[in-house]
Amino acid sequence: MEIENLRGFVAVVEHGHLGMAATSLRIPQSTLTRRIQRLEAELDCQLLDRSARPIAPSAAGRIIAEHARTVVGTADRATRQVRALLDGQGGTIRIGYVQSATFGWVARLLAVARRRKVDVELQAAPTIRQLEALHDHRLDAGVVRPSSATANPVGLRSAVLSRDTLHAVVPRRHLAARSDAVEPSDLAGEHLVLYPEQEGPGLRSLLDGWLARERLSLARWPVRIYDAWDALSAAALAGAGAGIAILPGPLPPLPRTVTAVPLVAAPRLELALMWRPVNDSIIEPFATALTSEVATGT
């Protein structure tokens, strides 16, 4: 299948009108019609219901449209990246990020990208999923929690972006809300709200080590531990009285019903940028620019 025929078919499906699709592609309508006819002849089936208003894809057309969008999109991204490489700037980078990086780091990533005239495709995912995507070349870089990796990443470069303090998010009526810091003993007998163990093992491991000073352990926690998939949900559960949420900074906007108190001798959770080193890729200068800003405190 020729990509221009697929591109024309996708345009017709999206616009529901041959004339509008041809205008969007900046080609004569007769040229677009021939491209659709060639595609239908190649597949030996009708892809469009031309009697419908707007024009709609047939059952076979819906299948082709789904895959054609992916093919055309991939080809367009590849073309932009090659042109950007030859021009020495621009291009597109696919970057994953852990949920806690939303509050501050995503803005810094995008600011660096704008200055370098780079487009960024953002994908929120836990560390383990990002490392899988980096390995499979579905991501170019990821903002991750290294301690959540199940094994040492092979073939990746990394740079620490921050070392974030852990906080206890407690209801304002809670006794700990009037303290400067939370001790391990303050959590004994309390319900906890944490990221799920399979998605945030680094946080749990760090918290477990901190609790060990009082011979406490999450594995033998006497009361309930609730799972929260993101920081906002964890804070909301804490505000509702479900338990004390343990979150790394930077913290999300918190409900008025809760306050954040650092853990005493505050343990820190590393946040890092990891990427696949490719000499002729735009990811290397981008990573250098971002990590340089961190090093200089910009």
Side-chain angles (χ1 to χ4, degrees):
M1 298 181 194
E2 294 184 13
I3 194 161
E4 291 307 320
N5 294 345
L6 292 173
R7 190 188 307 279
F9 177 66
V10 169
V12 174
V13 171
E14 290 179 348
H15 288 280
H17 190 278
L18 279 166
M20 293 172 63
T23 299
S24 71
L25 295 172
R26 299 180 181 178
I27 60 174
Q29 183 172 329
S30 57
T31 300
L32 177 58
T33 299
R34 285 194 296 273
R35 290 180 181 178
I36 302 300
Q37 290 171 343
R38 283 197 293 267
L39 186 60
E40 289 180 323
E42 184 178 0
L43 294 168
D44 194 25
C45 67
Q46 185 174 319
L47 297 177
L48 295 170
D49 179 0
R50 292 167 174 79
S51 64
R53 290 294 180 270
I55 294 175
S58 64
R62 287 193 293 272
I63 295 173
I64 294 300
E66 178 183 351
H67 294 286
R69 287 189 182 97
T70 301
V71 172
V72 172
T74 300
D76 288 345
R77 283 193 297 273
T79 300
R80 287 196 300 271
Q81 290 184 26
V82 169
R83 287 175 178 169
L85 179 63
L86 297 176
D87 292 341
Q89 64 177 0
T92 301
I93 303 175
R94 300 164 299 173
I95 301 181
Y97 64 98
V98 291
Q99 189 273 335
S100 55
T102 305
F103 310 104
W105 278 104
V106 168
R108 297 180 75 172
L109 285 169
L110 294 176
V112 172
R114 282 192 294 269
R115 287 196 293 275
R116 298 194 64 81
K117 299 181 180 178
V118 170
D119 290 329
V120 173
E121 294 180 2
L122 292 170
Q123 299 178 30
T127 294
I128 296 171
R129 304 290 172 260
Q130 289 189 58
L131 294 178
E132 291 172 353
L134 283 166
H135 181 267
D136 295 340
H137 295 250
R138 289 179 283 113
L139 283 179
D140 301 305
V143 181
V144 302
R145 297 289 185 185
S147 58
S148 289
T150 54
N152 290 328
V154 177
L156 297 179
R157 293 188 63 188
S158 67
V160 174
L161 299 176
S162 62
R163 293 177 174 86
D164 301 320
T165 301
L166 298 189
H167 297 79
V169 178
V170 300
R172 290 190 177 274
R173 64 181 180 277
H174 196 282
L175 184 62
R178 298 193 290 273
S179 304
D180 294 328
V182 168
E183 299 273 358
S185 57
D186 294 332
L187 299 184
E190 296 276 4
H191 296 313
L192 298 180
V193 181
L194 303 174
Y195 294 142
E197 186 171 11
Q198 68 272 26
E199 303 293 356
L203 173 62
R204 293 207 178 202
S205 176
L206 191 63
L207 180 60
D208 224 11
W210 180 77
L211 289 169
R213 68 177 65 190
E214 294 289 337
R215 298 184 180 180
L216 297 171
S217 168
L218 292 176
R220 297 188 298 275
W221 202 250
V223 289
R224 188 180 298 278
I225 296 178
Y226 293 96
D227 285 344
W229 289 95
D230 58 73
L232 289 170
S233 297
L237 285 172
I244 294 177
I246 307 297
L247 296 173
L251 294 169
L254 296 175
R256 295 180 180 179
T257 54
V258 301
T259 188
V261 184
L263 305 189
V264 71
R268 294 180 178 270
L269 191 63
E270 283 191 349
L271 187 73
L273 179 72
M274 288 190 177
W275 69 96
R276 290 184 291 103
V278 182
N279 291 333
D280 60 351
S281 171
I282 57 175
I283 186 58
E284 286 289 345
F286 177 85
T288 300
L290 179 64
T291 53
S292 295
E293 289 198 5
V294 174
T296 58
T298 305

